[in-house]
């Protein structure tokens, strides 16, 4: 495959293959530092994802990129770009809607009854481009409309700075917001005045109580002093192996209040793990 010929950047001697050996070096690194499994079957996927970066950097081969990446300069300048390309960030508004129904019908009334005037604190761990924390914010804003004394704070964290920037912008393609009920959309999303601009911006109301920040769930400690009433860690654990999942959830539980709720994705399971959580419903747990 002659990539150079279709690229005016003059990468004529581009070596278009990520060798097994170089793949293994990246794969071991991604797993040990970020917990993300990268089995041999993902080599072509990684090769494809790194190609854009290699072109941007006007490099000639994957091995040149690898040497740069692991150099001191590469670790300082390239790491965040690398994380942006290796992470899988699929997400949606109201993804797995049973969680938001449970939040609204069970968790919030319970919280109003028991909490005094404390703010409800929610953590969206692995928040990707923001659809999850903004969905939580919609549910909590709606609850606040009916309960004016109710207060809340949401923390969204991820390792992809590109996704965190997208979350902070809060601007989404129309097809991303298409399935949100009309009444909610009218209240919490702003259409562009330009008819050619097919995007929708979240209303400042949805952003006012959200903090977004870089956090690697593999870090030994999270540098977070507070504890949360609810942790969402959905569709993140699937990229980790079971021992890593158990370690990460144990650490997340240290930041969950007693009686606090923990939500995982529908294709994830905690069965057989030694965790301070009791099972409430499929994918919904509570700290003992
Ligand atoms: C598939 S998205 C899930 C987004 C959202 N939670 C949902 O369920 O729609 C997974 C996210 O986890 C993030 N992620 C992967 N490994 C991580 C790690 N070690 N620490 C923090 N976030 C991580 C990815 O960057 C990605 O944005």
């Amino acid at each position: 495959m002659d990539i150079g010929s279709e690229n005016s950047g003059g990468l004529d001697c581009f070596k278009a293959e990520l060798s097994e050996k170089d793949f293994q070096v990246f794969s071991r690194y991604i797993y040990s530092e970020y917990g993300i499994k990268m089995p041999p079957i993902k080599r072509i996927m990684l090769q494809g994802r790194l190609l854009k970066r290699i072109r941007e950097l006007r490099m000639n081969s994957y091995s040149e990129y690898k040497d740069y990446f692991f150099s001191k300069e590469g670790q300082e300048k390239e790491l965040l770009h690398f994380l942006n390309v290796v992470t899988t960030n699929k997400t949606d508004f109201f993804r797995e809607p049973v969680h938001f129904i449970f939040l609204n019908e069970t968790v919030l009334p319970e919280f109003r009854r028991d909490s005094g005037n404390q703010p409800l604190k929610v953590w969206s761990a692995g928040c990707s481009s923001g659809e999850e924390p903004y969905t939580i914010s919609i549910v909590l804003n709606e609850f606040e409309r009916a309960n004016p004394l109710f207060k809340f704070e949401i923390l969204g964290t991820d390792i992809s700075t590109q996704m965190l920037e997208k979350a902070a912008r809060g601007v989404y393609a129309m097809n991303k917001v298409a399935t949100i009920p009309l009444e909610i959309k009218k209240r919490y999303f702003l259409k562009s005045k330009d008819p050619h601009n097919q995007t929708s911006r979240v209303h400042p109301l949805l952003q006012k109580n959200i903090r977004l920040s870089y956090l690697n769930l593999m870090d030994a400690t999270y540098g977070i002093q507070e504890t949360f009433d609810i942790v969402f860690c959905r569709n993140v654990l699937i990229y980790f192996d079971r021992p890593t999942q158990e370690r990460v959830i144990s650490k997340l539980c240290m930041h969950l209040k007693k009686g606090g709720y923990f939500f995982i994705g529908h294709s994830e399971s905690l069965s057989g793990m030694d965790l301070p959580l009791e099972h409430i419903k499929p994918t919904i747990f509570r700290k003992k």
Side-chain angles (χ1 to χ4, degrees):
M1 184 167 124
D2 181 7
I3 292 176
S5 62
E6 60 187 56
N7 187 317
S8 57
L11 306 176
D12 290 333
C13 50
F14 187 89
K15 189 162 180 300
E17 199 173 79
L18 172 62
S19 69
E20 289 284 353
K21 204 165 137 247
D22 287 348
F23 170 75
Q24 273 172 27
V25 175
F26 283 122
S27 164
R28 271 199 297 273
Y29 175 81
I30 297 164
Y31 175 70
S32 70
E33 298 297 314
Y34 300 96
I36 301 171
K37 286 175 292 178
M38 190 73 58
I41 196 168
K42 299 252 172 105
R43 184 173 66 88
I44 300 300
M45 181 206 78
L46 184 65
Q47 177 177 298
R49 289 185 178 188
L50 289 180
L51 180 59
K52 189 162 166 268
R53 270 314 285 160
I54 290 174
R55 282 181 161 163
E56 280 164 1
L57 294 166
R58 304 177 77 77
M59 288 182 173
N60 290 318
S61 68
Y62 285 94
S63 77
E64 187 182 349
Y65 179 79
K66 184 201 71 184
D67 293 343
Y68 170 64
F69 179 75
F70 288 104
S71 69
K72 190 166 177 291
E73 186 191 348
Q75 285 291 294
E76 280 163 16
K77 294 191 184 160
E78 186 55 20
L79 185 56
L80 294 181
H81 293 288
F82 178 78
L83 289 177
N84 290 336
V85 300
V86 299
T87 52
T88 299
N89 313 109
K90 186 192 154 17
T91 185
D92 272 312
F93 289 102
F94 290 97
R95 182 179 196 184
E96 302 180 8
V98 290
H99 288 158
F100 302 105
I101 296 169
F102 185 80
L103 173 63
N104 187 44
E105 294 182 353
T106 305
V107 183
L108 293 178
E110 226 174 71
F111 182 79
R112 184 184 48 191
R113 198 188 57 220
D114 302 338
S115 70
N117 279 336
Q118 293 303 306
L120 178 84
K121 292 189 175 195
V122 187
W123 183 2
S124 164
C127 67
S128 187
S129 41
E131 287 86 334
E132 181 174 277
Y134 286 132
T135 303
I136 297 166
S137 185
I138 292 172
V139 176
L140 302 186
N141 268 279
E142 284 292 287
F143 192 74
E144 189 186 25
R145 275 161 52 83
N147 301 275
L149 292 180
F150 174 68
K151 295 191 286 287
F152 63 91
E153 293 165 16
I154 301 167
L155 172 67
T157 61
D158 206 284
I159 47 168
S160 166
T161 50
Q162 201 174 41
M163 289 303 119
L164 289 167
E165 280 159 21
K166 192 167 177 215
R169 271 198 305 281
V171 176
Y172 297 95
M174 284 302 191
N175 66 340
K176 286 292 262 177
V177 299
T179 53
I180 298 173
L182 192 59
E183 194 192 333
I184 295 291
K185 216 159 33 185
K186 277 190 189 151
R187 199 170 294 142
Y188 297 112
F189 289 85
L190 307 166
K191 252 200 245 159
S192 167
K193 292 196 177 87
D194 174 0
H196 300 295
N197 185 341
Q198 289 300 301
T199 60
S200 191
R201 176 185 289 277
V202 297
H203 193 285
L205 268 178
L206 290 192
Q207 292 181 303
K208 72 175 192 296
N209 299 331
I210 297 188
R211 277 174 300 142
L212 295 165
S213 138
Y214 174 93
L215 186 143
N216 179 5
L217 293 168
M218 288 292 285
D219 283 351
T221 54
Y222 295 156
I224 291 179
Q225 308 312 329
E226 59 199 311
T227 49
F228 294 85
D229 299 286
I230 305 170
V231 173
F232 282 79
C233 185
R234 308 185 312 160
N235 308 300
V236 180
L237 301 168
I238 28 167
Y239 303 106
F240 302 164
D241 64 13
R242 276 186 80 76
T244 309
Q245 292 176 350
E246 194 167 348
R247 271 199 311 277
V248 166
I249 302 163
S250 295
K251 278 184 279 175
L252 286 169
C253 284
M254 292 198 257
H255 296 278
L256 186 61
K257 288 181 190 161
K258 190 166 179 281
Y261 286 92
F262 192 90
F263 294 83
I264 60 172
H266 278 88
S267 55
E268 296 162 332
S269 153
L270 306 188
S271 72
M273 293 186 190
D274 182 18
L275 296 165
L277 294 172
E278 62 170 317
H279 181 261
I280 303 292
K281 273 173 169 255
T283 67
I284 304 179
F285 301 83
R286 199 161 190 194
K287 185 158 171 190
K288 290 182 202 156

